[in-house]
Amino acid sequence: MILPIIAYGDPVLRKEGEDISADYPNLKALIANMYETMYDAFGVGLAAPQVGLAIRLFVVDTTPFSEDEDLTKEEQAQLQGFKRTFINAKIIEETGDEWAFNEGCLSIPDVREDVFRKPKIKIEYQDEDFNTHVEEFDGLVARVIQHEYDHIDGILFTDKLSTLKKRLIKGRLSNISKGNISVDYKMRFPALKKKR
Ligand SMILES: [Zn+2]
């Protein structure tokens, strides 16, 4: 089932997500719905707060990035088929020199800006069967995980921009929260929600 994606401005995107346990209601269905919602919107990652739930869960599938011809064969292979569910994730460390990548977000349509992040991460998380993993990722895979991980801490990529950039996109963010935008996937806008 395709779920509406929560737009910028909704307080749920600002909440710190809570850990969940294996008996979280209808978890398997929720995860399946999150993948379906992400694919429908041509995203590479989706976090639970983006479907209205302040819990520490996000899904990633970087396959669409693997078609970028500017990447090396090795990078393409790393991205192809990298599909992973992260539950109760904790980034243990981030290392290396920060690099810029032009990020976007399904909750913030049509806004894309360069964001600086460290290239390597070490992360502990549980998979869909609640097995614990500690893994290291780098490059674009790490980038997508860092972006989604921020969501479960209530952080958006626009928070990481310079004061000047923030000022420049302020009007567009305000329009998104008011629903003054056309998107080709299902969304829920905070300003419209209040109207009955
Ligand atoms: Zn996002």
Side-chain angles (χ1 to χ4, degrees):
M1 186 173 68
I2 293 167
L3 307 168
I5 294 176
I6 308 295
Y8 181 93
D10 193 299
V12 75
L13 294 177
R14 292 310 191 178
K15 284 191 186 145
E16 203 176 314
E18 291 189 7
D19 281 346
I20 57 170
S21 57
D23 58 8
Y24 187 84
N26 304 315
L27 183 60
K28 287 262 144 78
L30 170 64
I31 292 168
N33 290 343
M34 283 176 63
Y35 277 110
E36 194 181 343
T37 302
M38 176 180 79
Y39 293 135
D40 175 68
F42 299 102
V44 290
L46 187 72
Q50 295 181 278
V51 294
L53 301 166
I55 56 173
R56 298 187 79 79
L57 161 67
F58 59 89
V59 300
V60 166
D61 188 341
T62 60
T63 304
F65 278 167
S66 70
E67 283 141 36
D68 185 341
E69 287 175 0
D70 292 336
L71 299 172
T72 64
K73 286 266 172 294
E74 194 189 13
E75 286 169 321
Q76 288 179 340
Q78 188 200 17
L79 295 162
Q80 175 70 42
F82 182 85
K83 179 181 174 180
R84 202 74 57 99
T85 303
F86 292 84
I87 295 171
N88 302 333
K90 271 168 198 69
I91 289 183
I92 298 163
E93 59 178 23
E94 291 179 290
T95 50
D97 295 329
E98 289 193 343
W99 66 295
F101 181 75
N102 202 249
E103 293 189 23
C105 180
L106 294 177
S107 293
I108 315 174
D110 297 336
V111 176
R112 298 200 67 90
E113 294 292 345
D114 280 355
V115 178
F116 285 85
R117 298 184 193 270
K118 290 183 175 169
K120 283 185 103 169
I121 60 164
K122 188 181 199 180
I123 188 169
E124 180 183 326
Y125 66 96
Q126 288 164 306
D127 61 24
E128 291 182 35
D129 301 315
F130 280 80
N131 297 312
T132 300
H133 305 264
V134 177
E135 280 184 286
E136 290 183 43
F137 299 105
D138 60 10
L140 278 173
V141 168
R143 173 65 62 155
V144 175
I145 293 169
Q146 286 163 316
H147 177 112
E148 298 313 323
Y149 184 84
D150 273 352
H151 274 298
I152 61 170
D153 276 340
I155 298 166
L156 302 172
F157 83 91
T158 48
D159 300 347
K160 299 186 173 285
L161 306 176
S162 68
T163 311
L164 174 66
K165 276 278 167 58
K166 277 183 192 151
R167 206 182 305 147
L168 289 172
I169 61 167
K170 207 177 163 193
R172 286 159 74 197
L173 294 179
S174 157
N175 276 332
I176 293 168
S177 62
K178 289 176 192 149
N180 295 334
I181 187 166
S182 71
V183 244
D184 48 17
Y185 50 87
K186 201 161 45 153
M187 287 196 87
R188 202 177 80 197
F189 300 94
L192 301 180
K193 202 173 62 181
K194 284 175 199 127
K195 290 181 197 153
R196 298 270 160 92

